[in-house]
Amino acid sequence: MAARGKKLINDPNDVVTQFIEGLAETYPGLQYLDGFPEIKVVLRSDVAVGTYDKVAVICGGGSGHEPAHGGFVGQGMLTAAVSGDVFTSPPVNSILAAIRAVTGPKGCLLVVTNYTGDRLNFGLAAEEAKSEGYKVEMVIVGDDCALPPTQGIAGRRGLAGTILVNKVAGAAADAGLPLEEVAEQARHASELVGTVGVALSVCTLPGQDTSDRLGLEQIELGLGIHGEPGTAVTELQPVDVVVTRVLKQILSPETRYVPITRGDRVLLLTNGLGATPIMELMIATRKAVRELQLEYGIATDRVYTGSFMTSLDMQGFSISIMKSDAAILQCLDASTKAPCWPAGTNGDRQKPAKISVPAPPSCAMKSDKMLQQSRELTKEGCILEASIEAGAKEIIRIKDSLNEWDSKVGDGDCGTTMYRGAIAILDDMKKCYPMNDAAETVNEIGATVRRVMGGTTGILYDILCKAAYASLKGIKTVEAKHWANALQASIDAISKYGGARAGYRTMLDALIPASEILRERLEAGDDPLDAFIVSSETAMTGAESTRHMQAQAGRSSYIAADKLASAPDPGAMAVAAWYRAVALSLKSMSRHSKS
């Protein structure tokens, strides 16, 4: 029976912001932007907004991997780090705030770990920053060697090798190189590193139950650092045996994950996952160095041992191997004041820990008059309001079911993420949604979910809303055919930016069949409400059918097919649930209006 994990925390919702506050108090060279809780950015205290005369290097991702990435902010490494909620990609607004805070005329490099949510959020932030006049380049790190070389569209995950790439990029930027050369050095480093991890236990998220997925005498190879299952489970073995297996996976001549052969020289990073004693890490390092030399004919130029990219309280370690060359060594040996890089740091605080979030170039604010008019609802406005409320309340109702499904095929927080969005929508709709304008209301829903949901789910729903808004904009009286066109536009946008298609085991497996049936019935002349009801039933059928699909996108793509069959895709079930709730709400309103 699962038990609630013990944590030295206050409120599970405040762990990231309170961690950042403690980090800035501990290390005088760090500050954070005063944008809690939405914006969680750690930055160098010696970099003034807009005046930095070198390339800024920014990394980030979900929290729970400390000291990555905030602990690696400092002269010679990262200029800023963007934190999302635990295991959740940081939202676009946070990334933009970091870019605006530290980027000067030479531009900035975004180093992004290869997860769908990180790619989407950092990618959209990069595009928006470019539109504001910033010079931005992006390098994606996928150093995972546990997965097959071709793994759907998701690709190899970004793991602890990212830390080495950050050090190379930070040193190149600190040397005054232009943006293109900094990006090229980071990209070169990312192509030379491979990582495999081993877990003895599953991590426990703040406020959640401890997983019993691994038995006392079991270990997991090819782990997912967000709590998702690894690629194989085996019996607990001596660490020397485990290290041998890990090195064999990284250096496999068949897969060629890394361009390393006999006679080469390498850098070795042994990384603790959060609850592994340094003694055990050193034992693993000892074996790795000897194995590389005696079995592979490979010498180690540098060895780093410690906790660099963790997974909360997970027991285990990962090994990263990077091919060494003169340029890489020069960057890794360059001085840095990043507090958690092994070289350490010294310095006195010269500025306060907290500074203001830079405002965007322009902020479109609704006038009081517009908001007052939006509260005087027309018949169509009332229908739209009731529909949104029905969809949001249904998501709130099924929160635990979504989490349960996601715990089997993902990282267990789909329901919690969707719940945050639903609660915020219900709150914002009473304050700032112009219900009489369908397009603007859809746009505002996108802004809401972008602000509070984060991660892959938040950015995909924001993309969905933005595409629907573009389709509906300028239409005075929105009819069923317009909604059908907006739905198709949303599907096209999600597929374009997320890369998924029908059959990939995503939300699109609910939306695509629903859209097809809706358009088919409307073109046949069916009553729009009847067409919508049938479409919603099709969406639910499509969502249920994901049980029999092999995932090709998102974190589920890392999980074996037999495990996926135990639950439908939670994202597809969520979209089918609110879609169905909206349809039933319209049916109920229609029935009451006729009686």
Side-chain angles (χ1 to χ4, degrees):
M1 183 175 178
R4 184 58 53 90
K6 294 180 179 179
K7 298 285 184 182
L8 291 171
I9 62 173
N10 297 306
D11 184 339
N13 296 314
D14 294 333
V15 293
V16 179
T17 56
Q18 292 182 359
F19 156 74
I20 290 174
E21 289 172 337
L23 184 74
E25 293 297 337
T26 302
Y27 300 112
L30 304 183
Q31 297 175 309
Y32 60 91
L33 295 181
D34 184 15
F36 292 162
E38 289 82 13
I39 293 175
K40 297 179 277 288
V41 174
V42 177
L43 64 157
R44 287 171 52 177
S45 59
D46 62 340
V47 174
V49 175
T51 63
Y52 189 46
D53 61 354
K54 296 179 180 178
V55 172
V57 180
I58 301 173
C59 192
S63 297
H65 306 301
E66 291 71 34
H69 294 281
F72 298 108
V73 174
Q75 173 268 322
M77 205 162 177
L78 296 179
T79 322
V82 193
S83 299
D85 292 324
V86 174
F87 295 169
T88 302
S89 305
V92 173
N93 287 348
S94 291
I95 302 166
L96 279 170
I99 293 172
R100 294 173 184 137
V102 299
T103 304
K106 283 200 170 184
C108 75
L109 173 68
L110 304 179
V111 181
V112 182
T113 51
N114 189 33
Y115 294 95
T116 305
D118 289 344
R119 292 201 316 269
L120 289 169
N121 282 282
F122 276 89
L124 182 54
E127 293 303 315
E128 291 201 22
K130 289 176 185 176
S131 72
E132 295 175 12
Y134 293 99
K135 294 167 58 179
V136 183
E137 290 279 354
M138 189 163 79
V139 171
I140 296 175
V141 182
D143 56 314
D144 188 4
C145 296
L147 299 171
T150 302
Q151 186 73 20
I153 62 169
R156 293 163 60 190
R157 297 169 289 195
L159 301 176
T162 308
I163 306 303
L164 297 174
V165 176
N166 285 339
K167 182 63 175 68
V168 170
D174 195 53
L177 298 180
L179 178 58
E180 294 75 17
E181 291 186 35
V182 174
E184 180 54 34
Q185 289 208 25
R187 196 169 290 113
H188 172 65
S190 72
E191 294 167 353
L192 300 180
V193 63
T195 301
V196 168
V198 178
L200 282 70
S201 68
V202 181
C203 59
T204 302
L205 276 67
Q208 296 193 21
D209 293 342
T210 298
S211 172
D212 56 1
R213 188 174 76 231
L214 281 179
L216 292 176
E217 297 299 317
Q218 291 181 316
I219 61 174
E220 201 163 59
L221 299 167
L223 62 94
I225 58 172
H226 303 95
E228 66 267 34
T231 57
V233 175
T234 186
E235 292 182 357
L236 180 63
Q237 298 172 311
V239 68
D240 281 4
V241 177
V242 176
V243 169
T244 296
R245 184 167 178 176
V246 168
L247 294 181
K248 183 178 180 181
Q249 183 74 15
I250 297 174
L251 299 171
S252 167
E254 289 77 28
T255 54
R256 294 285 295 171
Y257 289 115
V258 288
I260 298 173
T261 58
R262 182 173 293 273
D264 285 338
R265 305 184 71 85
V266 300
L267 313 159
L268 172 69
L269 184 145
T270 304
N271 170 59
L273 296 175
T276 310
I278 191 68
M279 177 185 288
E280 296 176 25
L281 296 179
M282 290 297 180
I283 293 172
T285 293
R286 156 195 163 275
K287 172 60 177 176
V289 171
R290 295 181 180 181
E291 183 89 354
L292 285 169
Q293 182 176 4
L294 298 177
E295 295 298 325
Y296 294 91
I298 294 173
T300 50
D301 279 334
R302 302 287 185 277
V303 177
Y304 308 100
T305 302
S307 292
F308 301 89
M309 182 179 281
T310 65
S311 186
L312 292 174
D313 57 350
M314 185 181 285
Q315 289 181 279
F317 67 94
S318 66
I319 287 179
S320 299
I321 303 174
M322 175 182 278
K323 186 175 181 179
S324 176
D325 61 37
I328 294 288
L329 282 177
Q330 183 177 5
C331 287
L332 292 177
D333 290 345
S335 64
T336 178
K337 291 185 177 180
C340 293
W341 181 254
T345 184
N346 294 305
D348 298 321
R349 183 182 302 284
Q350 297 178 353
K351 297 183 179 180
K354 181 192 299 186
I355 64 171
S356 300
V357 177
S362 62
C363 297
M365 301 297 291
K366 293 183 176 64
S367 67
D368 292 340
K369 182 178 180 181
M370 284 181 63
L371 291 177
Q372 182 61 35
Q373 289 175 345
S374 69
R375 296 188 186 104
E376 299 166 358
L377 298 184
T378 62
K379 177 183 176 181
E380 290 74 16
C382 290
I383 292 174
L384 183 57
E385 182 179 57
S387 299
I388 295 171
E389 184 174 1
K393 287 184 175 179
E394 179 63 10
I395 289 298
I396 292 170
R397 187 185 71 81
I398 66 170
K399 169 192 170 187
D400 291 340
S401 295
L402 293 174
N403 275 341
E404 181 181 354
W405 290 322
D406 200 33
S407 68
K408 297 176 180 178
V409 300
D411 52 12
D413 67 347
C414 178
T416 302
T417 300
M418 294 294 297
Y419 175 86
R420 283 202 307 268
I423 290 293
I425 287 171
L426 291 177
D427 184 47
D428 287 356
M429 68 185 289
K430 299 297 183 183
K431 298 186 297 186
C432 59
Y433 289 2
M435 292 295 177
N436 295 336
D437 188 326
E440 289 296 340
T441 295
V442 170
N443 195 39
E444 289 299 327
I445 291 174
T448 297
V449 298
R450 171 169 161 176
R451 187 184 77 247
V452 303
M453 285 174 63
T456 304
T457 303
I459 191 65
L460 287 175
Y461 270 95
D462 188 18
I463 290 172
L464 182 153
C465 290
K466 288 294 186 292
Y469 165 71
S471 178
L472 297 171
K473 188 177 181 181
I475 301 174
K476 292 184 179 180
T477 303
V478 179
E479 300 175 354
K481 63 181 180 180
H482 301 127
W483 285 114
N485 291 339
L487 176 59
Q488 185 59 50
S490 296
I491 291 171
D492 292 342
I494 292 172
S495 182
K496 175 183 177 181
Y497 290 105
R501 302 287 187 272
Y504 276 33
R505 205 178 199 275
T506 69
M507 66 162 67
L508 292 184
D509 291 302
L511 289 176
I512 289 175
S515 175
E516 291 173 349
I517 289 296
L518 180 61
R519 295 170 71 89
E520 179 183 312
R521 291 301 180 94
L522 290 176
E523 290 172 1
D526 286 11
D527 177 77
L529 180 55
D530 292 339
F532 192 13
I533 293 294
V534 174
S535 173
S536 72
E537 294 168 352
T538 305
M540 189 59 69
T541 300
E544 289 284 358
S545 73
T546 58
R547 291 178 184 270
H548 312 295
M549 298 177 185
Q550 175 60 46
Q552 298 184 63
R555 286 177 184 158
S556 291
S557 63
Y558 310 134
I559 298 174
D562 58 334
K563 290 187 173 68
L564 292 177
S566 65
D569 179 70
M573 292 299 292
V575 77
W578 63 253
Y579 191 90
R580 177 72 170 157
V582 171
L584 293 177
S585 172
L586 291 175
K587 182 177 181 180
S588 176
M589 285 187 286
S590 175
R591 187 185 302 118
H592 288 314
S593 67
K594 293 177 181 178
S595 60

